[in-house]
Amino acid sequence: MISMRYHIVSITAVFLALAVGVVLGSTAISSRLLSGLTDDNSALGKEVADLQTARNGLNARLADADRFATTVGPMAVKGLLAERTVVLVTTSDARPDDRDALAELLRAAGASVTGELQLTESFVDPRKADQLRDLVARLQPAGTQLPAGSDPGTRAGGLLGALLLLNKETNQPQATPDETAAALAGLSTAGFVKPGAGLRPAQLAVVLTGGAFAGDSAGDRAATIARFATQLDRSGAGTVLAGGEGSANGSGPVGVVRADTAATSAVSTVDNVGSAAGRVVAVLALREQLEGKAGRYGVAGNAEAPAPGAVG
């Protein structure tokens, strides 16, 4: 007769065997799985190392190209802007190193840089757009007209164009020294601009900006700079809008200009001013402006060519 104890021992033995089997089976599976993962990890590590090596090589080549462009740049632009005057307008995100290098290259081209005007963060702030529009209307010099556009960039471009640029027909100032001083003081006091020392009107302008704007109002900020540069172009002999990496994106000032057929047929744009080659292109584009031409230059997908006269 089979006792109850025998049943309990038998059932226990069965469950113990199952448990041992599960443990042994899972150990074998885990070993195979871990071995596969280790192989995959090694392959991915090699791929990452190869990509890093390739990137380092490309960076080295870019650095060599930039040093070459820095060396030959002054020779490439020599005399192109002889006896011409240029004013620099910079946005708050423009890199000082780019500004200084571009100013040096403009001088190498024979131009006289008449000063710098910096546009502040408030200038592109949509919350202060009405204040900027109202102030521009009050500061407009006698004998000059506000542009038809009602957006703050166009209106400010109309005012500052009259202050910063010479009349392209007569090569004479469009505002008196007192009017210019009063208007710049008003804009400066309100926190919209920061005029540099000794700022004088010029024949040509370069609007130097950074990359793309970020945040909810990125598009509005970019549009303010784009429309400002476009209106500035109409006030003098020519304007180039030059930006850094990302400036040709949809939320970058260069990108906004390039999306507007009317604007891009007037103001020239450069999207790689952060490089020595891009700064040379900015000078070449400024020279092209004197000839009544405009173009989209740089390395972004919406550029038409690397430089004036080059095949894209």
Side-chain angles (χ1 to χ4, degrees):
M1 182 176 180
I2 300 174
S3 66
M4 180 62 68
R5 180 180 178 184
Y6 178 84
H7 278 297
I8 293 173
V9 171
S10 298
I11 293 171
T12 301
V14 170
F15 279 108
L16 180 60
L18 287 172
V20 171
V22 169
V23 171
L24 291 175
S26 64
T27 301
I29 293 171
S30 296
S31 297
R32 290 194 297 270
L33 181 61
L34 287 174
S35 177
L37 290 174
T38 299
D39 292 342
D40 288 346
N41 186 58
S42 298
L44 288 173
K46 184 179 184 304
E47 187 176 346
V48 169
D50 290 343
L51 289 173
Q52 183 70 46
T53 300
R55 189 184 73 169
N56 291 342
L58 288 173
N59 285 340
R61 289 171 62 186
L62 286 172
D64 288 343
D66 207 53
R67 283 192 291 270
F68 176 76
T70 300
T71 301
V72 305
M75 293 180 283
V77 302
K78 185 177 180 180
L80 290 181
L81 297 174
E83 300 182 6
R84 302 292 182 174
T85 52
V86 182
V87 64
L88 291 176
V89 181
T90 59
T91 62
S92 59
D93 63 336
R95 299 195 323 173
D97 287 350
D98 292 342
R99 175 202 62 204
D100 295 344
L102 180 58
E104 183 178 347
L105 199 59
L106 287 167
R107 295 186 185 99
S112 174
V113 179
T114 62
E116 176 191 358
L117 180 75
Q118 185 185 90
L119 309 179
T120 68
E121 280 283 348
S122 295
F123 187 90
V124 297
D125 189 345
R127 296 170 298 181
K128 298 188 176 182
D130 289 339
Q131 180 188 354
L132 179 58
R133 271 191 296 261
D134 293 343
L135 186 59
V136 163
R138 294 200 304 272
L139 296 174
Q140 193 72 20
T144 62
Q145 265 189 330
L146 282 172
S150 61
D151 63 276
T154 299
R155 286 297 178 99
L159 170 62
L160 288 169
L163 304 178
L164 301 178
L165 291 171
L166 301 172
N167 185 297
K168 59 184 174 182
E169 304 297 336
T170 65
N171 207 38
Q172 295 299 312
Q174 302 181 62
T176 67
D178 288 343
E179 289 172 331
T180 298
L184 291 177
L187 290 169
S188 179
T189 300
F192 291 114
V193 303
K194 294 179 181 178
L199 180 63
R200 308 188 318 277
Q203 297 164 312
L204 300 162
V206 175
V207 179
L208 183 63
T209 187
F213 287 98
D216 294 338
S217 59
D220 292 334
R221 293 171 185 267
T224 296
I225 298 300
R227 290 167 184 162
F228 167 80
T230 302
Q231 185 59 42
L232 202 65
D233 179 79
R234 299 187 180 110
S235 301
T239 295
V240 170
L241 173 62
E245 184 178 358
S247 62
N249 295 346
S251 57
V254 170
V256 174
V257 169
R258 290 179 177 178
D260 183 337
T261 304
T264 202
S265 65
V267 60
S268 292
T269 54
V270 178
D271 60 50
N272 59 335
V273 77
S275 67
R279 291 188 288 274
V280 171
V281 171
V283 175
L284 296 176
L286 205 56
R287 171 65 196 183
E288 188 181 54
Q289 281 279 306
L290 284 171
E291 300 167 1
K293 302 175 184 177
R296 310 182 306 277
Y297 306 117
V299 297
N302 52 12
E304 64 180 312
V311 178

